[in-house]
């Protein structure tokens, strides 16, 4: 197998050059690799997290003997099914730090990857529907300020000025009393994240192997030795599992039982409209969030269906609820037609926080439990996983998310519902 | 939509029920003496099977009984429903 080095860069000059040949000769952006018999590091799962980890291993640590292996096509999992929201308005420092670091990385990512990920920083507005909720937002804004992250508490009039279409009358179903604004938040084009990381990692020498499902993990003397796919065994000194919906199964293959359950989350887009909404807006009582894509579609999301499932197709009630709330917030949008709905199976953890950790199996690392909030942290997760694997140590930012926190009682309860994953967001 | 047949009320949409989670784990009865690993297993570790899953459902908008349901998580087919009188357990 030939090693790819260097990157054929996208630029104004390359665009002009390829225009001369009518854009018929663009090189393949991402090669189709067959796996070799062994690698220094094998990453299971070509989602955003796995691909970002491969990119940082190659770029920051010079570890290029790496394969990312996916059972389907690259970016076929939750990285391209999410509602694309990127923010860091968390209360707990552990959740905030990793999201803050990601925001920094998102801001430079298009340049880093030489691939436009279309980060639109329109800001996020969380609506408050009672004065006690506004007090809670003030507490959250203060926690953010302590981390040095700007957030603004909004009065009802300020909300109304930013969201002219929002029904703020006192007769609406859920009257609005104020809000919390993080201006640096926004949305990122999620497909571009998968493709951009894959292309950048491949150009640094990483193999990206699609259509190879990992069915078993091999080990010897308490240390991982590789993975098995229907096409044979692939040796590896170290293995990262970043498989979201596949986490329980992969963990079982490694002899582990996880504090994680599989649930389904749906999303939907409407037909495209002229610009009507510049922020991501979240409702404060019903779990509902909406933004407008660059194409003009309204992108809607709500709750998980609420019971364990492996079926990536949800029932009608969470979507009905999302649409009811949308219409109560923005009555002028009631005639807009729904275009498309879809779903993804998400890895819900018992405290609502992720697991980013070494495991009792030596050399085997787990990245899971991201519930429905793992897209926003894709860049920092990649950086942290790479550092963990390259150095064999746990960076401070990852330490709170150790797998053993459940046994020791050091859980990370941002929402604090107890071990009821169907209640987490 | 998922339909669960309540032994008392008959077939009802999932929107009448509220979920109570995995029903396969029993709370350790010697609460004062259990070690961390046993608590961890009871509180946090889940089988999360791809297949039959034993789970609690509360018929909140019906008879308000806790039902113990076996449902296949890969097909949503309900395999068995038991009320407390039929040996089902409350969470
Ligand atoms: C509808 C929806 C909306 C969401 N909205 C948001 C949002 O607005 N903001 C946010 O931050 N997060 C959101 N999320 C969550 C976010 O998408 C995920 O947490 C994140 O993308 C997980 O990334 P990943 O790379 O770990 O997983 P994935 O992208 O799912 O990648 C995992 C990959 O592993 C592969 N795989 C699984 N098992 C195996 C196996 N045995 N062998 C080989 N490969 C395997 C899969 O094929 C898949 O490609 C949302 C999720 C959903 C479903
Ligand atoms: Zn009943």
């Amino acid at each position: 197998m030939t090693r790819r080095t260097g990157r054929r860069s996208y630029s104004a000059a390359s665009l002009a050059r390829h225009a001369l040949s009518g854009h018929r000769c663009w090189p393949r952006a991402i090669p189709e690799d067959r796996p070799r018999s062994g690698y220094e590091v094998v990453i299971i799962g070509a989602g955003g997290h796995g691909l970002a980890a491969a990119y940082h291993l190659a770029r920051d640590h010079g570890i290029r003997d790496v394969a990312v292996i996916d059972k389907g096509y690259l970016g076929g999992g939750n990285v391209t099914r999410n509602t694309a929201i990127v923010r860091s308005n968390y209360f707990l420092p552990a959740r905030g730090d990793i999201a803050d670091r990601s925001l920094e990385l998102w801001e430079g990512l298009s340049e880093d990857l030489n691939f436009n990920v279309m980060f639109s920083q329109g800001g996020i507005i969380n609506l408050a529907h009672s004065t006690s909720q506004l007090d809670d937002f003030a507490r959250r804004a203060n926690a953010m300020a302590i981390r040095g992250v700007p957030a603004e508490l909004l009065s009802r009039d300020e909300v109304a000025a930013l969201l002219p279409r929002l029904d703020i009358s006192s007769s609406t179903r859920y009257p609005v009393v104020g809000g919390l604004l993080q201006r640096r938040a926004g949305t990122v084009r999620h497909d571009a994240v998968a493709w951009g990381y894959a292309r950048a990692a491949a150009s640094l020498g990483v193999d990206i192997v699609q259509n190879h499902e990992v069915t078993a993990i091999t080990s010897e003397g308490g240390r991982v030795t590789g993975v098995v796919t229907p096409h044979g065994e692939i040796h590896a000194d170290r293995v990262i599992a970043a498989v979201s919906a596949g986490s329980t199964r992969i963990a079982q293959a490694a002899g582990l039982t996880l504090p994680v359950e599989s649930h389904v989350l749906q999303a939907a887009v409407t037909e495209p409209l002229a610009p009507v909404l510049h922020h991501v807006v979240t409702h404060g009582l019903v779990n509902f969030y909406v933004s407008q894509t660059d194409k003009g579609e309204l992108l809607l999301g709500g709750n998980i269906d609420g019971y364990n499932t492996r079926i990536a197709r949800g029932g009608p009630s969470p979507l009905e609820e999302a649409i009811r709330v949308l219409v109560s917030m923005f009555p002028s949008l009631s005639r807009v037609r729904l275009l498309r709905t879809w779903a993804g199976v998400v890895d819900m953890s018992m405290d609502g926080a992720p697991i980013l950790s070494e495991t009792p199996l030596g050399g085997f690392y787990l990245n899971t439990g991201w519930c429905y909030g793992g897209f926003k942290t894709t860049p920092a997760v990649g950086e942290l996983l790479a550092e963990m694997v390259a150095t064999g140590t746990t960076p401070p930012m990852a330490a709170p998310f150790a797998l053993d926190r459940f046994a020791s009682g050091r859980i990370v309860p941002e929402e604090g519902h107890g071990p009821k994953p169907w209640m987490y967001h | 939509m998922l339909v669960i047949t309540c032994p008392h009320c008959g077939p009802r949409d999932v929107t009448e029920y509220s979920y109570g989670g995995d029903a396969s784990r029993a709370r350790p009865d010697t609460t004062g003496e259990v070690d961390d690993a046993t608590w961890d297993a009871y509180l946090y570790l889940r089988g999360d099977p791809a297949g039959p899953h034993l789970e609690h459902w509360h018929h909140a908008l019906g008879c308000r009984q806790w039902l113990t349901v076996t449902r296949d998580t890969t097909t949503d087919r309900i395999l068995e429903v038991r009320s407390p009188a039929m040996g089902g357990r409350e969470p």
Side-chain angles (χ1 to χ4, degrees):
Chain A
M1 130 121 253
T2 53
R3 265 291 148 83
R4 291 173 297 270
T5 44
R7 173 187 302 179
R8 280 160 300 197
S9 185
Y10 293 144
S11 63
S14 70
L15 197 61
R17 206 164 50 244
H18 283 285
L20 296 175
S21 53
H23 295 293
R24 280 186 303 269
C25 309
W26 283 99
R28 207 190 156 90
I30 300 159
E32 243 177 67
D33 294 312
R34 312 273 325 150
R36 284 185 276 121
S37 62
Y39 295 88
E40 197 174 333
V41 180
V42 160
I43 299 172
I44 315 169
H49 293 180
L51 292 164
Y55 169 68
H56 284 284
L57 273 171
R59 195 197 71 173
D60 304 344
H61 303 279
I63 299 179
R64 298 179 175 198
D65 186 18
V66 176
V68 187
I69 300 180
D70 202 284
K71 68 174 181 182
Y73 58 94
L74 105 95
N78 291 339
V79 63
T80 57
R81 292 167 192 254
N82 55 60
T83 40
I85 302 168
V86 163
R87 59 181 175 89
S88 74
N89 53 2
Y90 286 95
F91 175 70
L92 293 180
R95 298 300 305 270
D97 288 346
I98 190 167
D100 294 340
R101 174 63 185 148
S102 293
L103 265 184
E104 269 170 32
L105 291 168
W106 284 121
E107 283 168 345
L109 197 67
S110 294
E111 263 179 55
D112 282 352
L113 300 180
N114 180 235
F115 202 95
N116 188 357
V117 300
M118 298 168 73
F119 185 18
S120 318
Q121 290 177 286
I124 187 167
I125 298 175
N126 307 115
L127 298 177
H129 307 276
S130 66
T131 49
S132 59
Q133 189 165 33
L134 204 55
D135 287 347
D136 183 55
F137 283 178
R139 176 169 170 263
R140 191 149 35 125
N142 288 338
M144 292 169 70
I146 290 169
R147 303 200 309 269
V149 173
E152 295 159 49
L153 211 56
L154 304 175
S155 68
R156 177 166 165 273
D157 290 345
E158 287 167 331
V159 170
L162 292 173
L163 301 172
R165 284 172 185 273
L166 183 71
D167 182 357
I168 54 144
S169 63
S170 52
S171 60
T172 187
R173 177 70 185 85
Y174 303 107
V176 173
V177 304
L180 179 66
L181 169 63
Q182 183 183 23
R183 290 191 192 270
R184 268 173 85 198
T187 54
V188 180
R189 184 172 178 219
H190 48 207
D191 318 75
V193 172
W195 300 331
Y197 273 119
R199 173 172 167 273
S203 77
L204 293 170
V206 170
D207 280 0
I208 293 169
V209 179
Q210 306 180 59
N211 299 311
H212 282 60
E213 178 166 13
V214 172
T215 53
I217 308 275
T218 56
S219 64
E220 216 180 281
R223 257 203 89 80
V224 75
T225 54
V227 302
V228 179
T229 80
H231 309 279
E233 186 171 344
I234 304 168
H235 294 282
D237 300 333
R238 279 154 292 171
V239 173
I240 301 173
V243 293
S244 73
S247 296
T248 311
R249 203 170 284 188
I250 284 289
Q252 272 160 8
L256 303 167
T257 306
L258 294 185
V260 171
E261 283 181 353
S262 307
H263 287 258
V264 67
L265 179 65
Q266 308 185 58
V269 285
T270 68
E271 61 190 339
L273 311 173
V276 290
L277 193 61
H278 304 290
H279 303 81
V280 177
V281 183
T282 76
H283 199 264
L285 290 174
V286 180
N287 180 31
F288 170 75
Y289 32 97
V290 57
S291 64
Q292 188 169 21
T293 67
D294 293 329
K295 257 193 281 181
E297 306 144 324
L298 295 171
L299 175 53
L300 324 174
N303 269 317
I304 48 176
D305 276 37
Y307 49 91
N308 302 49
T309 186
R310 299 304 182 95
I311 310 171
R313 190 183 59 232
S317 36
L319 283 178
E320 267 173 17
E321 183 174 69
I323 292 160
R324 270 201 307 273
V325 177
L326 173 76
V327 171
S328 83
M329 291 163 74
F330 301 104
S332 62
L333 300 177
S334 65
R335 304 286 294 275
V336 177
R337 280 169 298 190
L338 211 60
L339 196 65
R340 203 153 50 83
T341 79
W342 66 92
V345 174
V346 287
D347 37 332
M348 300 299 295
S349 72
M350 293 295 145
D351 60 356
I355 294 160
L356 189 57
S357 183
E358 54 177 20
T359 67
L361 180 63
F364 180 71
Y365 297 83
L366 256 179
N367 170 62
T368 182
W370 281 100
C371 299
Y372 39 117
F375 177 64
K376 68 174 74 67
T377 53
T378 301
V381 167
E383 202 176 47
L384 290 169
L385 283 171
E387 188 179 341
M388 288 169 88
V389 168
T391 64
T393 61
T394 299
M397 208 181 271
F401 304 116
L403 180 58
D404 65 11
R405 72 174 182 271
F406 296 91
S408 66
R410 286 189 305 268
I411 55 167
V412 185
E414 174 84 14
E415 295 172 47
H417 296 303
K420 297 183 175 157
W422 58 93
M423 298 183 69
Y424 284 108
H425 300 147
Chain B
M1 186 182 296
L2 186 66
V3 174
I4 300 172
T5 302
C6 172
H8 303 291
C9 313
R12 299 296 178 89
D13 286 351
V14 66
T15 46
E16 285 197 7
Y17 294 86
S18 79
Y19 191 55
D22 187 340
S24 68
R25 295 152 308 108
R27 186 185 170 98
D29 47 9
T30 49
T31 304
E33 297 149 34
V34 291
D35 57 18
D36 289 353
T38 311
W39 263 128
D40 186 28
Y42 166 66
L43 271 179
Y44 297 122
L45 302 186
R46 299 290 187 269
D48 189 35
H53 184 241
L54 194 68
E55 55 198 27
H56 296 296
W57 286 94
H58 186 222
H59 195 183
L61 301 183
C63 60
R64 300 197 60 77
Q65 294 291 306
W66 277 101
L67 307 178
T68 309
V69 175
T70 310
R71 182 180 51 90
D72 189 324
T73 60
T74 62
T75 60
D76 259 357
R77 195 160 298 144
I78 308 270
L79 307 174
E80 191 186 34
V81 181
R82 283 191 288 158
S83 68
M86 300 154 75
R89 279 199 290 118
E90 300 200 351

